[in-house]
Amino acid sequence: LLKERKNIEIDDLSKLVDEKMNLLFRLSHSSSIKLRIQVLKLIFTIIKDKDAKNKNKEINDNYNDYEDRYYKSLYELINLRDILVSKNIKELLKLIISSCLYDEDSLRCLAILRRLLQSATLAEPSFICCVLIIVSHVLFNKNHLWKYIEKIKKLIMELRNSSSRNRSMTGSMKYKSESMLGEGLKTKTRQLTC
């Protein structure tokens, strides 16, 4: 009887958490930036609660979904231009740095840092300095991110090298491809007219 009661309580708890989290995620897309930041802070504190994660496998799976939804909402918030003039920018930057330090997904963390740097290009110098400090702090505490940055740099260099080779070849290749294309078009039009 006690085991059944515990299973029912865990199932009820799971349903309750799902309902409330869905409500919180709906609120995280509201028009008020202050409300969005407050809701994301609340969601982040819920996600960080590792004790709740380890109690039940079903709840643990839900928490992984909540993490993904949380980071997506955070990324969308960083994407808004209104945050640059918001009075709550300090709270948002604190949330971003703690979220990046907590996140185990390196590529997602790099995407958030990249988006933060992109939004800094449109901002005041004080915001730019804060963003640079955040990026350096996260990279200092998560050394493994440098491996991904180096891979990205190598890929960019390879793409640049291949595009420069293509440009030098385009002059001679362009004439050949145009003449081949012209001959192909001539034969197609002949077939259609006959």
Side-chain angles (χ1 to χ4, degrees):
L1 186 63
L2 281 173
K3 288 182 181 180
E4 289 178 19
R5 188 173 183 190
K6 285 183 181 179
N7 288 338
I8 292 171
E9 288 177 3
I10 290 175
D11 290 340
D12 290 341
L13 177 66
S14 175
K15 289 176 186 174
L16 182 67
V17 168
D18 280 341
E19 289 173 13
K20 299 305 177 188
M21 289 298 281
N22 287 331
L23 175 68
L24 287 174
F25 280 113
R26 270 187 262 131
L27 286 173
S28 73
H29 296 288
S30 71
S31 60
S32 169
I33 292 179
K34 182 177 182 177
L35 178 64
R36 288 176 88 163
I37 293 171
Q38 294 299 322
V39 169
L40 286 175
K41 284 171 66 175
L42 178 61
I43 293 171
F44 182 64
T45 55
I46 293 170
I47 288 172
K48 276 182 24 179
D49 184 21
K50 292 195 181 216
D51 293 334
K53 274 186 174 181
N54 296 327
K55 284 182 183 174
N56 185 1
K57 187 178 185 221
E58 185 178 316
I59 293 176
N60 192 14
D61 293 340
N62 290 341
Y63 271 85
N64 291 333
D65 294 338
Y66 297 148
E67 275 188 38
D68 294 338
R69 289 174 68 185
Y70 165 75
Y71 283 104
K72 183 180 180 211
S73 297
L74 183 65
Y75 187 85
E76 289 172 0
L77 182 62
I78 297 170
N79 216 7
L80 295 176
R81 289 190 182 192
D82 296 340
I83 65 162
L84 300 176
V85 293
S86 174
K87 295 177 182 176
N88 305 86
I89 194 69
K90 186 177 179 180
E91 291 178 42
L92 177 64
L93 293 175
K94 284 181 183 179
L95 180 63
I96 290 170
I97 195 167
S98 56
S99 298
C100 285
L101 291 175
Y102 174 77
D103 194 9
E104 295 172 2
D105 188 349
S106 301
L107 295 176
R108 184 169 56 197
C109 183
L110 283 174
I112 288 175
L113 292 178
R114 186 179 133 242
R115 182 63 202 133
L116 193 60
L117 286 168
Q118 287 173 344
S119 64
T121 60
L122 306 170
E124 298 290 321
S126 59
F127 182 80
I128 296 169
C129 290
C130 289
V131 167
L132 291 175
I133 290 170
I134 288 171
V135 170
S136 67
H137 185 72
V138 170
L139 291 177
F140 179 76
N141 287 313
K142 291 189 152 196
N143 289 329
H144 65 278
L145 292 178
W146 284 108
K147 294 176 188 173
Y148 290 103
I149 293 172
E150 290 298 321
K151 286 180 184 178
I152 292 169
K153 281 174 64 176
K154 286 180 184 176
L155 284 173
I156 290 171
M157 294 305 290
E158 288 175 8
L159 287 173
R160 283 185 182 163
N161 290 337
S162 67
S163 67
S164 65
R165 277 184 271 156
N166 289 342
R167 282 188 204 139
S168 64
M169 292 174 60
T170 26
S172 62
M173 296 294 282
K174 187 176 180 182
Y175 177 74
K176 290 178 183 175
S177 63
E178 284 177 356
S179 63
M180 289 172 67
L181 181 64
E183 289 173 12
L185 285 175
K186 287 178 188 175
T187 56
K188 286 274 187 197
T189 51
R190 281 188 211 138
Q191 290 173 356
L192 291 173
T193 54
C194 294

